[in-house]
Amino acid sequence: MSPLEILREFQDHEDLVVRLAKLEIDSTRLTEYESFLTEEIKEAVAKEPGVLTMYAVQDQTKPHHVTIMEIYANDSAYQAHLNTPHFLKYKNGTREMVNSLELIDLDPIVFGVRDN
């Protein structure tokens, strides 16, 4: 299913879990962190039907400031994600690299994706 189809299917559901994670990473370990993060996101979207989207971005002037937006079909999907081998590998593998973590729960207003 394309990102557009996923968002169309779920955008009106009140059960969506939308979470923003704002992290500050040890700048001397940023490449290592990015490797863990990339593996975790690829595994999550490939293996977990309840993981609708995950986007990771970094500040252009402070690349060790990373923001991750996660959208899950519902709370059960989110809770299941927290117990997957790939998430636990990421969490345990990056624990010493993360200087700070802020988790923000969000309510969706509207999703937009170009349909080409």
Side-chain angles (χ1 to χ4, degrees), residues 17-77:
V17 172
V18 182
R19 175 163 269 192
L20 199 65
K22 298 177 81 174
L23 302 97
E24 183 179 336
I25 307 303
D26 177 345
S27 60
T28 65
R29 301 185 71 188
L30 187 57
T31 301
E32 185 181 4
Y33 172 80
E34 289 173 357
S35 179
F36 273 99
L37 178 62
T38 299
E39 180 181 343
E40 199 283 321
I41 288 178
K42 286 182 177 181
E43 292 281 321
V45 297
K47 295 181 176 178
E48 297 179 65
V51 174
L52 303 182
T53 59
M54 289 186 148
Y55 299 111
V57 295
Q58 61 193 154
D59 188 308
Q60 289 182 353
T61 60
K62 298 176 190 168
H64 62 288
H65 287 217
V66 175
T67 302
I68 306 167
M69 176 174 265
E70 309 170 28
I71 303 176
Y72 301 89
N74 52 44
D75 189 60
S76 295

Short mmCIF file of all heavy atoms in Angstrom, two decimals, residues 17-77:
data_model
loop_
_atom_site.label_atom_id
_atom_site.label_comp_id
_atom_site.label_asym_id
_atom_site.label_seq_id
_atom_site.Cartn_x
_atom_site.Cartn_y
_atom_site.Cartn_z
N VAL A 17 -2.50 6.74 16.62
CA VAL A 17 -1.52 7.22 17.59
C VAL A 17 -0.44 7.94 16.79
O VAL A 17 0.19 7.35 15.92
CB VAL A 17 -0.91 6.07 18.40
CG1 VAL A 17 0.24 6.56 19.27
CG2 VAL A 17 -1.98 5.39 19.25
N VAL A 18 -0.30 9.23 17.06
CA VAL A 18 0.70 10.05 16.39
C VAL A 18 1.65 10.56 17.46
O VAL A 18 1.22 11.18 18.43
CB VAL A 18 0.07 11.23 15.61
CG1 VAL A 18 1.15 12.03 14.89
CG2 VAL A 18 -0.99 10.73 14.64
N ARG A 19 2.91 10.27 17.27
CA ARG A 19 3.90 10.62 18.30
C ARG A 19 5.11 11.26 17.64
O ARG A 19 5.55 10.85 16.58
CB ARG A 19 4.32 9.36 19.05
CG ARG A 19 5.42 9.62 20.05
CD ARG A 19 5.52 8.52 21.01
NE ARG A 19 4.66 8.86 22.13
CZ ARG A 19 4.67 8.22 23.27
NH1 ARG A 19 5.42 7.18 23.46
NH2 ARG A 19 3.90 8.61 24.27
N LEU A 20 5.61 12.28 18.31
CA LEU A 20 6.83 12.95 17.88
C LEU A 20 7.89 12.68 18.95
O LEU A 20 7.62 12.87 20.13
CB LEU A 20 6.57 14.46 17.77
CG LEU A 20 7.52 15.29 16.96
CD1 LEU A 20 7.45 14.90 15.49
CD2 LEU A 20 7.18 16.76 17.12
N ALA A 21 9.05 12.23 18.51
CA ALA A 21 10.17 12.02 19.43
C ALA A 21 11.26 13.01 19.04
O ALA A 21 11.70 13.03 17.89
CB ALA A 21 10.68 10.59 19.32
N LYS A 22 11.66 13.83 19.99
CA LYS A 22 12.73 14.81 19.76
C LYS A 22 13.92 14.37 20.59
O LYS A 22 13.82 14.27 21.81
CB LYS A 22 12.25 16.20 20.16
CG LYS A 22 11.06 16.68 19.32
CD LYS A 22 10.56 18.02 19.77
CE LYS A 22 11.45 19.08 19.18
NZ LYS A 22 10.97 20.44 19.41
N LEU A 23 15.02 14.09 19.90
CA LEU A 23 16.20 13.55 20.55
C LEU A 23 17.42 14.43 20.31
O LEU A 23 17.54 15.05 19.25
CB LEU A 23 16.53 12.16 19.99
CG LEU A 23 15.45 11.09 20.10
CD1 LEU A 23 14.67 10.99 18.82
CD2 LEU A 23 16.07 9.77 20.44
N GLU A 24 18.29 14.45 21.29
CA GLU A 24 19.61 15.03 21.11
C GLU A 24 20.60 13.87 21.25
O GLU A 24 20.62 13.19 22.28
CB GLU A 24 19.91 16.12 22.14
CG GLU A 24 21.25 16.76 21.90
CD GLU A 24 21.56 17.87 22.88
OE1 GLU A 24 20.63 18.46 23.46
OE2 GLU A 24 22.76 18.13 23.08
N ILE A 25 21.38 13.66 20.21
CA ILE A 25 22.29 12.53 20.13
C ILE A 25 23.72 12.99 20.41
O ILE A 25 24.10 14.10 20.02
CB ILE A 25 22.21 11.88 18.72
CG1 ILE A 25 20.76 11.56 18.35
CG2 ILE A 25 23.11 10.66 18.61
CD1 ILE A 25 20.05 10.65 19.30
N ASP A 26 24.50 12.14 21.03
CA ASP A 26 25.93 12.41 21.22
C ASP A 26 26.53 12.61 19.83
O ASP A 26 26.54 11.70 19.01
CB ASP A 26 26.57 11.22 21.93
CG ASP A 26 28.07 11.35 22.12
OD1 ASP A 26 28.70 12.21 21.48
OD2 ASP A 26 28.62 10.57 22.91
N SER A 27 27.02 13.80 19.55
CA SER A 27 27.49 14.14 18.21
C SER A 27 28.68 13.28 17.76
O SER A 27 28.89 13.09 16.56
CB SER A 27 27.85 15.63 18.11
OG SER A 27 28.88 15.94 19.03
N THR A 28 29.42 12.72 18.70
CA THR A 28 30.55 11.86 18.33
C THR A 28 30.09 10.47 17.90
O THR A 28 30.88 9.70 17.37
CB THR A 28 31.56 11.72 19.48
OG1 THR A 28 30.94 11.03 20.57
CG2 THR A 28 32.07 13.08 19.93
N ARG A 29 28.80 10.16 18.11
CA ARG A 29 28.28 8.84 17.78
C ARG A 29 27.11 8.91 16.82
O ARG A 29 26.34 7.96 16.68
CB ARG A 29 27.88 8.12 19.07
CG ARG A 29 29.08 7.98 20.01
CD ARG A 29 28.78 7.18 21.23
NE ARG A 29 28.63 5.78 20.87
CZ ARG A 29 28.20 4.87 21.74
NH1 ARG A 29 27.94 5.19 22.98
NH2 ARG A 29 28.06 3.61 21.36
N LEU A 30 26.97 10.05 16.13
CA LEU A 30 25.82 10.27 15.26
C LEU A 30 25.72 9.24 14.14
O LEU A 30 24.63 8.72 13.87
CB LEU A 30 25.87 11.69 14.69
CG LEU A 30 24.65 12.14 13.88
CD1 LEU A 30 23.37 12.02 14.71
CD2 LEU A 30 24.84 13.57 13.41
N THR A 31 26.81 8.91 13.49
CA THR A 31 26.78 7.92 12.40
C THR A 31 26.31 6.57 12.91
O THR A 31 25.49 5.89 12.28
CB THR A 31 28.17 7.81 11.74
OG1 THR A 31 28.53 9.10 11.23
CG2 THR A 31 28.16 6.81 10.61
N GLU A 32 26.81 6.18 14.06
CA GLU A 32 26.40 4.92 14.68
C GLU A 32 24.91 4.94 15.03
O GLU A 32 24.19 3.97 14.79
CB GLU A 32 27.26 4.67 15.93
CG GLU A 32 27.02 3.35 16.59
CD GLU A 32 27.87 3.17 17.84
OE1 GLU A 32 28.61 4.11 18.24
OE2 GLU A 32 27.79 2.09 18.44
N TYR A 33 24.46 6.05 15.59
CA TYR A 33 23.04 6.19 15.92
C TYR A 33 22.18 6.07 14.66
O TYR A 33 21.17 5.37 14.65
CB TYR A 33 22.76 7.53 16.61
CG TYR A 33 21.29 7.76 16.79
CD1 TYR A 33 20.60 7.15 17.84
CD2 TYR A 33 20.57 8.52 15.88
CE1 TYR A 33 19.22 7.32 17.97
CE2 TYR A 33 19.20 8.69 16.01
CZ TYR A 33 18.54 8.08 17.05
OH TYR A 33 17.18 8.21 17.17
N GLU A 34 22.57 6.77 13.60
CA GLU A 34 21.79 6.75 12.36
C GLU A 34 21.68 5.34 11.80
O GLU A 34 20.64 4.97 11.23
CB GLU A 34 22.40 7.69 11.34
CG GLU A 34 22.21 9.15 11.68
CD GLU A 34 22.96 10.09 10.76
OE1 GLU A 34 23.69 9.63 9.86
OE2 GLU A 34 22.81 11.32 10.95
N SER A 35 22.69 4.53 11.96
CA SER A 35 22.65 3.15 11.51
C SER A 35 21.59 2.35 12.27
O SER A 35 20.79 1.63 11.66
CB SER A 35 24.03 2.51 11.67
OG SER A 35 24.00 1.17 11.26
N PHE A 36 21.58 2.48 13.58
CA PHE A 36 20.55 1.81 14.40
C PHE A 36 19.15 2.30 14.01
O PHE A 36 18.23 1.50 13.86
CB PHE A 36 20.78 2.09 15.89
CG PHE A 36 21.71 1.14 16.58
CD1 PHE A 36 23.04 1.50 16.79
CD2 PHE A 36 21.27 -0.09 17.03
CE1 PHE A 36 23.91 0.64 17.45
CE2 PHE A 36 22.13 -0.95 17.69
CZ PHE A 36 23.46 -0.59 17.89
N LEU A 37 19.00 3.61 13.86
CA LEU A 37 17.71 4.20 13.54
C LEU A 37 17.19 3.72 12.19
O LEU A 37 16.02 3.35 12.05
CB LEU A 37 17.80 5.72 13.57
CG LEU A 37 16.54 6.50 13.21
CD1 LEU A 37 15.41 6.21 14.19
CD2 LEU A 37 16.85 7.99 13.15
N THR A 38 18.06 3.73 11.19
CA THR A 38 17.66 3.30 9.85
C THR A 38 17.19 1.86 9.86
O THR A 38 16.14 1.53 9.29
CB THR A 38 18.84 3.48 8.87
OG1 THR A 38 19.18 4.86 8.83
CG2 THR A 38 18.48 3.00 7.48
N GLU A 39 17.93 1.00 10.52
CA GLU A 39 17.53 -0.41 10.60
C GLU A 39 16.19 -0.56 11.30
O GLU A 39 15.32 -1.32 10.85
CB GLU A 39 18.61 -1.22 11.34
CG GLU A 39 18.28 -2.69 11.46
CD GLU A 39 19.35 -3.48 12.20
OE1 GLU A 39 20.48 -2.99 12.36
OE2 GLU A 39 19.02 -4.60 12.63
N GLU A 40 16.01 0.15 12.39
CA GLU A 40 14.76 0.03 13.17
C GLU A 40 13.56 0.48 12.34
O GLU A 40 12.54 -0.20 12.30
CB GLU A 40 14.87 0.86 14.45
CG GLU A 40 13.86 0.48 15.51
CD GLU A 40 12.46 1.00 15.28
OE1 GLU A 40 12.31 2.14 14.83
OE2 GLU A 40 11.51 0.26 15.57
N ILE A 41 13.67 1.61 11.67
CA ILE A 41 12.53 2.12 10.90
C ILE A 41 12.22 1.19 9.73
O ILE A 41 11.06 0.87 9.47
CB ILE A 41 12.78 3.56 10.44
CG1 ILE A 41 12.69 4.50 11.65
CG2 ILE A 41 11.79 3.98 9.34
CD1 ILE A 41 12.95 5.96 11.34
N LYS A 42 13.24 0.73 9.02
CA LYS A 42 13.00 -0.18 7.88
C LYS A 42 12.32 -1.46 8.34
O LYS A 42 11.39 -1.94 7.69
CB LYS A 42 14.31 -0.48 7.16
CG LYS A 42 14.80 0.68 6.33
CD LYS A 42 16.09 0.33 5.59
CE LYS A 42 16.53 1.49 4.72
NZ LYS A 42 17.75 1.18 3.96
N GLU A 43 12.77 -2.03 9.45
CA GLU A 43 12.16 -3.25 9.98
C GLU A 43 10.71 -3.00 10.41
O GLU A 43 9.83 -3.80 10.14
CB GLU A 43 12.97 -3.78 11.17
CG GLU A 43 14.33 -4.29 10.80
CD GLU A 43 14.29 -5.69 10.21
OE1 GLU A 43 13.51 -6.53 10.68
OE2 GLU A 43 15.05 -5.93 9.26
N ALA A 44 10.48 -1.89 11.10
CA ALA A 44 9.14 -1.59 11.61
C ALA A 44 8.12 -1.46 10.49
O ALA A 44 7.04 -2.06 10.55
CB ALA A 44 9.16 -0.34 12.47
N VAL A 45 8.44 -0.68 9.46
CA VAL A 45 7.45 -0.47 8.40
C VAL A 45 7.30 -1.72 7.53
O VAL A 45 6.24 -1.94 6.95
CB VAL A 45 7.74 0.78 7.54
CG1 VAL A 45 7.65 2.04 8.39
CG2 VAL A 45 9.08 0.70 6.85
N ALA A 46 8.33 -2.55 7.46
CA ALA A 46 8.25 -3.77 6.65
C ALA A 46 7.48 -4.89 7.36
O ALA A 46 6.77 -5.67 6.71
CB ALA A 46 9.65 -4.26 6.29
N LYS A 47 7.61 -4.96 8.68
CA LYS A 47 7.10 -6.13 9.41
C LYS A 47 5.85 -5.88 10.24
O LYS A 47 5.19 -6.83 10.65
CB LYS A 47 8.20 -6.67 10.34
CG LYS A 47 9.39 -7.22 9.58
CD LYS A 47 10.43 -7.76 10.54
CE LYS A 47 11.58 -8.41 9.78
NZ LYS A 47 12.62 -8.91 10.68
N GLU A 48 5.54 -4.62 10.52
CA GLU A 48 4.42 -4.33 11.43
C GLU A 48 3.30 -3.63 10.68
O GLU A 48 3.43 -2.45 10.33
CB GLU A 48 4.90 -3.43 12.57
CG GLU A 48 5.96 -4.04 13.46
CD GLU A 48 6.40 -3.07 14.53
OE1 GLU A 48 5.56 -2.73 15.40
OE2 GLU A 48 7.56 -2.63 14.48
N PRO A 49 2.18 -4.32 10.47
CA PRO A 49 1.09 -3.69 9.74
C PRO A 49 0.49 -2.48 10.45
O PRO A 49 -0.07 -1.59 9.81
CB PRO A 49 0.05 -4.80 9.59
CG PRO A 49 0.50 -5.91 10.44
CD PRO A 49 1.92 -5.70 10.82
N GLY A 50 0.64 -2.40 11.77
CA GLY A 50 0.10 -1.27 12.52
C GLY A 50 0.98 -0.04 12.51
O GLY A 50 0.56 1.02 12.96
N VAL A 51 2.20 -0.16 12.01
CA VAL A 51 3.08 1.00 11.84
C VAL A 51 2.77 1.59 10.48
O VAL A 51 3.08 1.00 9.45
CB VAL A 51 4.57 0.61 11.94
CG1 VAL A 51 5.45 1.81 11.62
CG2 VAL A 51 4.89 0.05 13.31
N LEU A 52 2.13 2.75 10.47
CA LEU A 52 1.70 3.34 9.21
C LEU A 52 2.80 4.16 8.56
O LEU A 52 3.03 4.06 7.36
CB LEU A 52 0.46 4.20 9.43
CG LEU A 52 -0.73 3.47 10.07
CD1 LEU A 52 -1.91 4.40 10.19
CD2 LEU A 52 -1.08 2.22 9.29
N THR A 53 3.47 4.97 9.34
CA THR A 53 4.59 5.76 8.81
C THR A 53 5.58 6.06 9.93
O THR A 53 5.19 6.18 11.10
CB THR A 53 4.15 7.11 8.20
OG1 THR A 53 3.47 7.87 9.19
CG2 THR A 53 3.25 6.93 7.00
N MET A 54 6.83 6.22 9.53
CA MET A 54 7.88 6.69 10.43
C MET A 54 8.79 7.57 9.59
O MET A 54 9.28 7.14 8.55
CB MET A 54 8.68 5.54 11.02
CG MET A 54 7.94 4.72 12.03
SD MET A 54 9.07 3.50 12.76
CE MET A 54 8.37 3.41 14.39
N TYR A 55 9.00 8.78 10.06
CA TYR A 55 9.88 9.72 9.38
C TYR A 55 10.91 10.22 10.38
O TYR A 55 10.55 10.66 11.46
CB TYR A 55 9.10 10.92 8.82
CG TYR A 55 8.04 10.57 7.82
CD1 TYR A 55 6.70 10.70 8.14
CD2 TYR A 55 8.38 10.09 6.56
CE1 TYR A 55 5.72 10.38 7.22
CE2 TYR A 55 7.40 9.78 5.64
CZ TYR A 55 6.07 9.92 5.97
OH TYR A 55 5.11 9.59 5.05
N ALA A 56 12.18 10.16 10.00
CA ALA A 56 13.24 10.68 10.85
C ALA A 56 13.95 11.80 10.09
O ALA A 56 14.31 11.63 8.92
CB ALA A 56 14.23 9.58 11.22
N VAL A 57 14.13 12.93 10.76
CA VAL A 57 14.80 14.09 10.17
C VAL A 57 15.77 14.66 11.20
O VAL A 57 15.65 14.39 12.39
CB VAL A 57 13.79 15.18 9.71
CG1 VAL A 57 12.91 14.66 8.58
CG2 VAL A 57 12.93 15.65 10.87
N GLN A 58 16.73 15.47 10.70
CA GLN A 58 17.67 16.11 11.61
C GLN A 58 17.78 17.58 11.27
O GLN A 58 17.58 17.99 10.12
CB GLN A 58 19.03 15.42 11.58
CG GLN A 58 19.71 15.43 10.25
CD GLN A 58 20.89 14.47 10.18
OE1 GLN A 58 21.21 14.05 9.11
NE2 GLN A 58 21.54 14.13 11.27
N ASP A 59 18.08 18.36 12.27
CA ASP A 59 18.25 19.80 12.13
C ASP A 59 19.44 20.06 11.21
O ASP A 59 20.51 19.46 11.38
CB ASP A 59 18.49 20.40 13.51
CG ASP A 59 18.50 21.90 13.53
OD1 ASP A 59 19.25 22.51 12.73
OD2 ASP A 59 17.78 22.49 14.36
N GLN A 60 19.28 20.95 10.24
CA GLN A 60 20.36 21.24 9.29
C GLN A 60 21.57 21.88 9.96
O GLN A 60 22.70 21.66 9.53
CB GLN A 60 19.85 22.15 8.17
CG GLN A 60 18.92 21.46 7.22
CD GLN A 60 18.47 22.37 6.08
OE1 GLN A 60 18.74 23.57 6.07
NE2 GLN A 60 17.77 21.79 5.13
N THR A 61 21.35 22.68 10.97
CA THR A 61 22.48 23.35 11.62
C THR A 61 22.98 22.59 12.86
O THR A 61 24.08 22.86 13.33
CB THR A 61 22.11 24.79 12.03
OG1 THR A 61 21.00 24.75 12.94
CG2 THR A 61 21.75 25.61 10.79
N LYS A 62 22.17 21.69 13.37
CA LYS A 62 22.56 20.86 14.53
C LYS A 62 22.14 19.42 14.21
O LYS A 62 21.14 18.93 14.72
CB LYS A 62 21.85 21.33 15.79
CG LYS A 62 22.18 22.74 16.20
CD LYS A 62 21.34 23.14 17.40
CE LYS A 62 21.48 24.62 17.68
NZ LYS A 62 20.49 25.09 18.63
N PRO A 63 22.92 18.72 13.38
CA PRO A 63 22.50 17.40 12.92
C PRO A 63 22.34 16.37 14.03
O PRO A 63 21.69 15.35 13.82
CB PRO A 63 23.60 16.99 11.94
CG PRO A 63 24.67 18.00 12.03
CD PRO A 63 24.16 19.18 12.78
N HIS A 64 22.88 16.65 15.21
CA HIS A 64 22.69 15.73 16.33
C HIS A 64 21.33 15.92 17.00
O HIS A 64 20.98 15.19 17.93
CB HIS A 64 23.83 15.87 17.35
CG HIS A 64 23.94 17.22 17.97
ND1 HIS A 64 24.39 18.32 17.27
CD2 HIS A 64 23.64 17.64 19.22
CE1 HIS A 64 24.38 19.37 18.08
NE2 HIS A 64 23.93 18.98 19.26
N HIS A 65 20.52 16.87 16.50
CA HIS A 65 19.14 17.03 16.95
C HIS A 65 18.25 16.31 15.94
O HIS A 65 18.12 16.73 14.79
CB HIS A 65 18.77 18.51 17.03
CG HIS A 65 19.41 19.22 18.18
ND1 HIS A 65 18.76 20.19 18.90
CD2 HIS A 65 20.64 19.09 18.75
CE1 HIS A 65 19.57 20.63 19.86
NE2 HIS A 65 20.71 19.98 19.77
N VAL A 66 17.65 15.22 16.38
CA VAL A 66 16.87 14.33 15.52
C VAL A 66 15.41 14.36 15.96
O VAL A 66 15.12 14.35 17.16
CB VAL A 66 17.43 12.89 15.60
CG1 VAL A 66 16.56 11.91 14.81
CG2 VAL A 66 18.87 12.85 15.10
N THR A 67 14.52 14.39 14.98
CA THR A 67 13.08 14.34 15.25
C THR A 67 12.51 13.17 14.47
O THR A 67 12.79 13.01 13.29
CB THR A 67 12.38 15.65 14.83
OG1 THR A 67 12.99 16.74 15.54
CG2 THR A 67 10.89 15.60 15.14
N ILE A 68 11.69 12.37 15.14
CA ILE A 68 11.05 11.22 14.52
C ILE A 68 9.55 11.37 14.67
O ILE A 68 9.05 11.58 15.77
CB ILE A 68 11.50 9.90 15.18
CG1 ILE A 68 13.03 9.80 15.17
CG2 ILE A 68 10.86 8.71 14.48
CD1 ILE A 68 13.58 8.71 16.07
N MET A 69 8.82 11.29 13.55
CA MET A 69 7.36 11.27 13.59
C MET A 69 6.91 9.85 13.32
O MET A 69 7.34 9.23 12.34
CB MET A 69 6.72 12.21 12.58
CG MET A 69 5.19 12.07 12.59
SD MET A 69 4.36 13.26 11.55
CE MET A 69 3.99 14.48 12.79
N GLU A 70 6.08 9.35 14.20
CA GLU A 70 5.58 7.98 14.10
C GLU A 70 4.06 8.01 14.07
O GLU A 70 3.45 8.72 14.87
CB GLU A 70 6.03 7.15 15.30
CG GLU A 70 7.51 7.23 15.58
CD GLU A 70 7.89 6.60 16.91
OE1 GLU A 70 7.19 5.68 17.38
OE2 GLU A 70 8.88 7.05 17.50
N ILE A 71 3.46 7.24 13.16
CA ILE A 71 2.00 7.14 13.10
C ILE A 71 1.64 5.65 13.13
O ILE A 71 2.10 4.87 12.29
CB ILE A 71 1.42 7.82 11.85
CG1 ILE A 71 1.85 9.29 11.79
CG2 ILE A 71 -0.11 7.70 11.85
CD1 ILE A 71 1.40 10.02 10.53
N TYR A 72 0.82 5.30 14.11
CA TYR A 72 0.37 3.92 14.32
C TYR A 72 -1.14 3.86 14.12
O TYR A 72 -1.86 4.81 14.42
CB TYR A 72 0.71 3.45 15.74
CG TYR A 72 2.18 3.50 16.05
CD1 TYR A 72 2.75 4.65 16.58
CD2 TYR A 72 3.00 2.41 15.80
CE1 TYR A 72 4.11 4.72 16.86
CE2 TYR A 72 4.36 2.47 16.08
CZ TYR A 72 4.91 3.62 16.60
OH TYR A 72 6.25 3.69 16.88
N ALA A 73 -1.64 2.70 13.70
CA ALA A 73 -3.06 2.52 13.46
C ALA A 73 -3.87 2.69 14.74
O ALA A 73 -5.00 3.19 14.71
CB ALA A 73 -3.32 1.14 12.85
N ASN A 74 -3.29 2.30 15.88
CA ASN A 74 -4.00 2.40 17.16
C ASN A 74 -3.00 2.14 18.29
O ASN A 74 -1.83 1.86 18.04
CB ASN A 74 -5.17 1.40 17.22
CG ASN A 74 -4.73 -0.02 16.89
OD1 ASN A 74 -3.70 -0.49 17.34
ND2 ASN A 74 -5.51 -0.69 16.04
N ASP A 75 -3.47 2.24 19.51
CA ASP A 75 -2.58 2.07 20.67
C ASP A 75 -2.04 0.65 20.76
O ASP A 75 -0.90 0.45 21.17
CB ASP A 75 -3.31 2.45 21.96
CG ASP A 75 -2.34 2.49 23.14
OD1 ASP A 75 -1.38 3.30 23.08
OD2 ASP A 75 -2.52 1.71 24.08
N SER A 76 -2.84 -0.33 20.37
CA SER A 76 -2.36 -1.72 20.39
C SER A 76 -1.16 -1.89 19.47
O SER A 76 -0.19 -2.58 19.82
CB SER A 76 -3.46 -2.69 19.98
OG SER A 76 -4.49 -2.67 20.92
N ALA A 77 -1.20 -1.26 18.30
CA ALA A 77 -0.08 -1.34 17.36
C ALA A 77 1.15 -0.65 17.96
O ALA A 77 2.27 -1.15 17.81
CB ALA A 77 -0.46 -0.69 16.03
#
